Amino acid sequence: MIKFNINDTEVEVEPGCTVLEAARQYGFDIPTLCHHEAVAPSGACRLCMVELREGDWSKLVASCIYPVAEGINIYTETERIQNVRKWLFEMLLAKCPASTEIKEMASKYGVDSTRFPAENPDEECMLCGLCTRVCEEIVGLSAISLVDRGVYKKVGSPFAQPTDVCVACGCCVSICPTGAMRSRIDAVRRTPAVTLTPLAL
Amino acid sequence: MINGNTALNIDNIRLNSHEDLDALRQKIIDSHDPDQPEVLVCHGTGCIANGSKEVMAAFEKICADSDIDVKVMPGIKATGCQGLCSKGPLLRINPQGLFYQQVKPGDVEEIVQKTIIGNEPVERLLYKDPKTGEAIHTEEEIPFYNLQERIILKNIGKIDPTDIHDKISVGGYQALAKALNTMTPEEVVTEITNSGLRGRGGAGFPTGRKWQGALKAVEKKGGPVYVVVNGDEGDPGAFMDCAIMEGDPHAVLEGLILGAYALGANKGYLYIRAEYPLAVKHLEMAMEQARAHGLLGDNILNSGFSFDAQINRGAGAFVCGESTALFTSIEGKAGTPRPKYVRSVEEGLWGNPTVLNNVETWANVPLIIEKGADWYSKIGVPKSTGTKVFCLVGKVNNVGLVEVPMGSPITKIVDEIGGGIPSGKPFKAVQTGGPSGGCIPNRLKDTPMDFDSLTQAGAMMGSGAMIVMDEHDCVVDVGRYFLRFLEEESCGKCIPCRLGLTKMREILDNFSSGKGSEKDIEDLTSLAKAIQDGALCALGTSAPNPCLTTIKFFKEEYLAHVNDQKCPAGVCKDLITYSIDPDACTGCRSCARQCPQDCISGKKKEVHVIDEQKCIRCGICMDTCKFNAVLVS
Ligand SMILES: Cc1cc2nc3c(=O)[nH]c(=O)nc-3n(C[C@H](O)[C@H](O)[C@H](O)COP(=O)(O)O)c2cc1C
Ligand code: SF4
Ligand code: SF4
Ligand code: SF4
Ligand code: SF4
Ligand code: SF4
Ligand code: FES
Ligand code: FES
């Protein structure tokens, strides 16, 4: 077992655990958007940042991927963390104004407005990549992926063409934390989305 | 070598010992008549752009057509960057060691007649002392060169990079032969550790410690270990790695083979930026020639040690220079950084221990092995040993490749070696470390250029680009420039970088159109901190540096944009107006003829005026006016 501290409280977990898993096990609250037990962590959303302190030295790490280690000191509510969260939420509110999930989560952490103008009022997707990871790792199909890079990145099928690779299992829709995949799946499937809900014959 | 002494037929012979290497070296030296003229034509990027290929062709043609005595028939070599790129195309003529600048194909006939045959310099092609105007004959007398300490660049510009014999004649592969014969792998690692060498790719990680880390990982989990060259150089303004790969490819290769020997690696990769075809070609030739000589491949120099390497061409993205992205790219996947809480010396290529070092780092290795850690660690300053190659660019008189001991003050590089800025005034700032670095103001010009001093100043060594700025460079605009570059280069995986850089740039856009507030400066700083803390890889965490340093050192210039709606440097278009000084205007009409808006009026020989309403602030009139009559405010 590995012993270490979260917010000055000693915790004990199995080796190989991540800091996020340990924190949740002990009831410490850490927000996450791109993390899901079903798929491998990717460290993309950066909402789960926690502060690792060693004497005067400290740095922020993503708790969903950071492995626990003996004797480390982790803090989940420092000024630096709050600053990162505040800006992430402000940017997400402007980027995905249509997502009620993001609005609710931001509000929970005290961010109710943003200094940035909304870009596209209908946008919900924040490119966490959960949909593409579930399709690749669980469904085993990779019908969708994150295409393009940087500011042009988006979720889609290859060459933005409808694809027969997709079997309409719906996993991507159900894992999507913002509801964005609901409207996107139509563009992925060659046959219309109705087939997505298996008919009870 | 094109002409001259090629009688020596010693190609493709396998060397089986240090003695074989020495014998070959002696043979090459003996076959070369020291009095035979030799023309070295710079074929670095800058000189090729200025027409050095045409100069070379002219030499070949004129020498072939004329009836020069074989005794003075020059050997003509294309070399790597000779250093003083702003004066290119450059030429060196041996045996006199003459240094010719800005040579055109039309000059070649005269050079052949006067210098090659007549043994006399062509005065007008010589370098002129900027103060006295006096002609200087050789490189050694030119301050740009004699104030440098060139150990990495020593052979670049002097040897033919496509000919391994040229390299062997100046001591190439001596370090490798020495190590294979007289040193254990552990001794090589120890030597590198003791030298104090730190990685030249930007972060300055101690190379010896990295190698030891890899050895420990191998001990722990076994399996293969890889050595990799990072040649993805993508910083705007940086071309030193390119110059090293193009101009002295064997130095990188020899370093890599030594590293492989030290670490027990049998396979290596050279990851080279897609935009560097000449570097790829020269390294390919170098590897092929090294293999033929038994210096690469199976049983190197009959020592029992085998190692080979292959070239991977970069995917053309700046982020692929980041270690984890580089590995995924070599593995054939999209080059996206992955979180690395496990160090890549432990889990690099295909999850195996991997040592990745920068081109210049590898090029230092043979020097250290040949001359010893003691010798090396005396160069530079205690915590940053050795030299560093910088690319001096921007508003500076001598643009080019500069190598100085670590810890040399900025002013030595910019003012003494670089010859200051063209206007003769003090420079305004220097951007070190490219898009991840910082902007250092003139008042800190004594800052030593070493890893720790630069980090302390909020900047970074980065790869070694030094962009010099004068009073016509606006710091807000500089911040925007680097952010725009990184916005384009961000892989988009994590939110702080993908969204945050755009948001920072948009706030700066507002400043440059006079729409900002002091609160925006605060927000910008706080958002920048969130990106530094939150981004996944170093592209994102270092991206705010240029902007943050300009706020730190040039706050008043930001306030001028925000409070007074003024751009003191006269760059931000929305905040400036052009006018004509009636006392200086001669009425020559040049500006009026050039103005794309047709908004300058006035009769010939009378004072002209600009119609502010129609003016689009393109600045053409200002560049055109020979009488400095166009003013900007
Ligand atoms: C966005 C980004 C780009 C980089 N580009 C390069 C590069 O082009 N060349 C390089 O040597 N290192 C580059 N680095 C640094 C490498 O990740 C790595 O630290 C370096 O190659 C290690 O070699 P060194 O220890 O010899 O410096 C880059 C880092 C980042 C974050
Ligand atoms: S569609 Fe949903 S799951 Fe997929 S990247 Fe967007 S927000 Fe994440
Ligand atoms: S519905 Fe299609 S795209 Fe979505 S997870 Fe299933 S197969 Fe993949
Ligand atoms: S910091 Fe930028 S480049 Fe690095 S992983 Fe995040 S988005 Fe990609
Ligand atoms: S700045 Fe351009 S548009 Fe304005 S007056 Fe000069 S040349 Fe004409
Ligand atoms: S170019 Fe200069 S001197 Fe000539 S008309 Fe224009 S402002 Fe006057
Ligand atoms: S949950 Fe850890 S980075 Fe998104
Ligand atoms: S390219 Fe010729 S001197 Fe640099």
Side-chain angles (χ1 to χ4, degrees):
Chain A
M1 293 300 266
I2 305 260
K3 274 192 199 156
F4 70 104
N5 301 305
I6 301 181
N7 298 345
D8 296 323
T9 308
E10 191 176 81
V11 299
E12 202 177 2
V13 292
E14 298 279 341
C17 231
T18 63
V19 168
L20 178 68
E21 284 162 343
R24 295 220 160 138
Q25 199 178 316
Y26 279 84
F28 293 99
D29 175 60
I30 295 174
T32 60
L33 269 175
C34 70
H35 176 263
H36 194 284
E37 294 79 10
V39 295
S42 86
C45 77
R46 318 307 282 173
L47 270 172
C48 69
M49 301 302 279
V50 295
E51 191 163 334
L52 176 67
R53 284 195 191 152
E54 226 181 280
D56 287 345
W57 174 89
S58 87
K59 73 168 176 183
L60 299 202
V61 296
S63 62
C64 68
I65 25 183
Y66 199 82
V68 296
E70 194 64 37
I72 56 172
N73 292 302
I74 295 287
Y75 293 85
T76 63
E77 286 296 336
T78 67
E79 212 183 306
R80 279 169 84 186
I81 295 167
Q82 282 160 356
N83 187 51
V84 172
R85 272 186 208 156
K86 169 187 128 113
W87 285 109
L88 286 176
F89 281 128
E90 284 210 25
M91 294 192 289
L92 284 172
L93 287 175
K95 190 74 199 175
C96 327
S99 164
T100 43
E101 290 83 353
I102 285 179
K103 265 199 205 91
E104 278 163 20
M105 189 187 250
S107 178
K108 180 179 162 199
Y109 291 92
V111 183
D112 292 305
S113 63
T114 171
R115 63 156 283 154
F116 307 113
E119 286 162 40
N120 171 4
D122 301 325
E123 184 60 272
E124 293 171 298
C125 173
M126 42 89 191
L127 297 169
C128 64
L130 278 174
C131 53
T132 61
R133 276 179 281 152
V134 82
C135 189
E136 180 186 348
E137 296 171 28
I138 306 293
V139 187
L141 286 175
S142 296
I144 47 173
S145 58
L146 293 171
V147 293
D148 273 342
R149 62 165 212 221
V151 287
Y152 311 106
K153 212 182 191 80
K154 51 185 181 296
V155 171
S157 42
F159 310 107
Q161 293 302 309
T163 169
D164 283 333
V165 178
C166 170
V167 295
C169 67
C171 288
C172 54
V173 176
S174 61
I175 203 172
C176 174
T178 67
M181 203 59 212
R182 268 187 309 255
S183 57
R184 282 178 164 69
I185 194 71
D186 285 352
V188 174
R189 281 289 296 164
R190 201 179 290 282
T191 28
V194 244
T195 55
L196 242 181
T197 353
L199 295 175
L201 286 174
Chain B
M1 195 176 286
I2 309 292
N3 290 321
N5 208 329
T6 47
L8 194 69
N9 190 10
I10 39 181
D11 282 336
N12 301 326
I13 56 156
R14 210 194 132 82
L15 305 171
N16 285 312
S17 63
H18 199 167
E19 289 72 41
D20 279 1
L21 178 68
D22 284 341
L24 173 60
R25 182 180 184 186
Q26 201 51 52
K27 223 164 160 183
I28 299 166
I29 294 171
D30 292 345
S31 72
H32 182 82
D33 173 2
D35 295 328
Q36 184 97 26
E38 191 181 47
V39 179
L40 308 178
V41 187
C42 177
H43 273 49
T45 316
C47 288
I48 288 184
N50 282 325
S52 63
K53 280 192 167 157
E54 291 72 25
V55 173
M56 176 107 173
F59 264 108
E60 282 163 4
K61 179 159 193 319
I62 288 169
C63 290
D65 290 352
S66 69
D67 43 9
I68 311 178
D69 183 349
V70 284
K71 276 236 171 71
V72 294
M73 178 63 98
I76 306 168
K77 283 186 201 170
T79 73
C81 172
Q82 298 185 355
L84 191 48
C85 308
S86 52
K87 298 279 197 292
L90 298 187
L91 218 66
R92 257 179 247 253
I93 302 202
N94 287 332
Q96 306 92 323
L98 285 173
F99 178 93
Y100 285 167
Q101 62 181 24
Q102 288 165 333
V103 179
K104 285 175 213 60
D107 298 323
V108 172
E109 179 73 53
E110 190 181 351
I111 297 173
V112 170
Q113 290 306 329
K114 239 180 158 167
T115 310
I116 307 285
I117 300 177
N119 197 10
E120 248 180 65
V122 179
E123 283 284 330
R124 86 190 131 78
L125 297 174
L126 291 170
Y127 180 87
K128 309 290 178 317
D129 184 305
K131 287 190 199 92
T132 63
E134 218 171 291
I136 297 181
H137 287 228
T138 64
E139 176 183 304
E140 290 71 30
E141 302 162 87
I142 299 173
F144 175 81
Y145 291 100
N146 64 28
L147 291 170
Q148 298 189 35
E149 181 159 349
R150 297 185 141 223
I151 59 174
I152 294 293
L153 300 179
K154 185 165 176 251
N155 298 316
I156 300 180
K158 302 212 168 108
I159 57 169
D160 175 354
T162 63
D163 182 355
I164 195 173
H165 291 168
D166 238 21
K167 175 68 182 179
I168 288 175
S169 75
V170 295
Y173 294 99
Q174 287 295 332
L176 178 64
K178 173 182 171 183
L180 292 178
N181 266 324
T182 65
M183 294 169 84
T184 62
E186 296 73 35
E187 282 168 343
V188 175
V189 177
T190 307
E191 205 67 18
I192 296 301
T193 308
N194 293 345
S195 74
L197 176 65
R198 292 173 68 174
R200 303 307 197 231
F205 193 84
T207 307
R209 192 141 37 102
K210 187 184 275 187
W211 292 17
Q212 284 167 353
L215 286 176
K216 277 206 200 93
V218 177
E219 216 171 273
K220 209 164 75 186
K221 52 193 253 183
V225 52
Y226 298 105
V227 284
V228 183
V229 178
N230 192 340
D232 197 47
E233 188 171 62
D235 289 31
F239 53 89
M240 53 265 138
D241 292 349
C242 177
I244 295 171
M245 291 187 285
E246 284 181 6
D248 195 0
H250 289 286
V252 184
L253 192 57
E254 188 180 357
L256 186 68
I257 305 169
L258 279 164
Y261 174 67
L263 294 157
N266 302 115
K267 177 86 197 166
Y269 295 85
L270 298 103
Y271 189 86
I272 304 175
R273 186 172 180 199
E275 290 88 341
Y276 286 170
L278 200 60
V280 171
K281 184 175 153 207
H282 286 184
L283 275 159
E284 257 164 9
M285 290 172 87
M287 281 160 55
E288 201 178 301
Q289 294 173 0
R291 268 186 216 111
H293 285 77
L295 295 162
L296 179 70
D298 285 337
N299 195 12
I300 293 172
L301 286 177
N302 213 17
S303 65
F305 168 64
S306 299
F307 168 76
D308 215 328
Q310 76 173 57
I311 292 178
N312 279 61
R313 303 189 64 164
F318 177 66
V319 73
C320 288
E322 194 274 339
S323 52
T324 59
L326 187 148
F327 295 146
T328 47
S329 180
I330 291 183
E331 290 167 6
K333 291 172 268 179
T336 308
R338 46 182 196 229
K340 57 167 182 191
Y341 297 125
V342 183
R343 292 179 307 147
S344 49
V345 289
E346 290 170 32
E347 279 183 25
L349 279 175
W350 296 285
N352 293 307
T354 304
V355 164
L356 172 72
N357 278 124
N358 164 264
V359 166
E360 191 182 334
T361 314
W362 286 118
N364 271 284
V365 170
L367 278 174
I368 295 168
I369 298 306
E370 196 188 344
K371 303 200 174 176
D374 250 8
W375 167 82
Y376 189 85
S377 60
K378 289 200 182 80
I379 307 171
V381 290
K383 284 196 171 155
S384 296
T385 56
T387 61
K388 176 78 192 92
V389 180
F390 293 103
C391 282
L392 196 56
V393 297
K395 308 280 179 56
V396 62
N397 282 315
N398 300 330
V399 169
L401 272 187
V402 172
E403 182 179 359
V404 286
M406 284 276 187
S408 302
I410 292 177
T411 178
K412 174 172 172 186
I413 301 169
V414 176
D415 295 318
E416 293 175 35
I417 296 172
I421 67 174
S423 70
K425 293 187 201 155
F427 67 85
K428 175 175 177 174
V430 177
Q431 170 80 22
T432 68
S436 7
C439 200
I440 299 180
N442 188 286
R443 65 172 190 276
L444 297 181
K445 67 176 183 208
D446 293 321
T447 306
M449 291 290 287
D450 63 61
F451 291 109
D452 308 311
S453 309
L454 286 172
T455 309
Q456 219 169 16
M460 204 177 141
M461 177 74 83
S463 53
M466 290 178 76
I467 307 175
V468 183
M469 299 173 209
D470 68 8
E471 71 274 18
H472 299 301
D473 290 303
C474 163
V475 292
V476 175
D477 197 56
V478 169
R480 285 169 75 205
Y481 169 81
F482 286 114
L483 281 169
R484 229 179 291 129
F485 172 82
L486 291 172
E487 251 181 290
E488 285 297 316
E489 296 296 335
S490 161
C491 82
K493 178 168 178 176
C494 72
I495 297 177
C497 174
R498 187 182 69 240
L499 300 182
L501 301 187
T502 305
K503 294 296 171 227
M504 281 185 72
R505 199 255 307 145
E506 284 170 358
I507 296 177
L508 289 182
D509 285 351
N510 277 343
F511 291 167
S512 67
S513 52
K515 287 197 291 255
S517 67
E518 285 195 42
K519 166 86 170 37
D520 288 340
I521 303 182
E522 263 169 51
D523 277 4
L524 186 62
T525 314
S526 153
L527 170 59
K529 293 230 166 73
I531 298 172
Q532 285 181 324
D533 274 341
L536 188 154
C537 85
L539 185 148
T541 57
S542 62
N545 292 356
C547 177
L548 281 177
T549 47
T550 53
I551 296 179
K552 178 170 162 196
F553 295 123
F554 298 92
K555 184 81 175 269
E556 64 296 338
E557 203 169 321
Y558 275 85
L559 292 174
H561 283 77
V562 167
N563 294 337
D564 314 330
Q565 269 81 55
K566 282 210 167 76
C567 174
V571 172
C572 298
K573 287 195 172 148
D574 292 342
L575 305 182
I576 55 175
T577 47
Y578 283 94
S579 61
I580 290 174
D581 177 359
D583 294 333
C585 175
T586 64
C588 74
R589 288 208 56 74
S590 308
C591 61
R593 276 196 296 270
Q594 298 284 330
C595 173
Q597 288 295 93
D598 256 338
C599 63
I600 306 179
S601 53
K603 291 207 182 81
K604 207 170 176 186
K605 297 203 175 138
E606 280 173 25
V607 171
H608 282 50
V609 278
I610 294 175
D611 180 349
E612 233 182 81
Q613 300 306 314
K614 281 204 212 147
C615 170
I616 54 165
R617 302 176 188 96
C618 67
I620 291 176
C621 50
M622 193 169 191
D623 295 339
T624 310
C625 179
K626 289 193 199 75
F627 306 96
N628 291 328
V630 180
L631 308 173
V632 56
S633 66

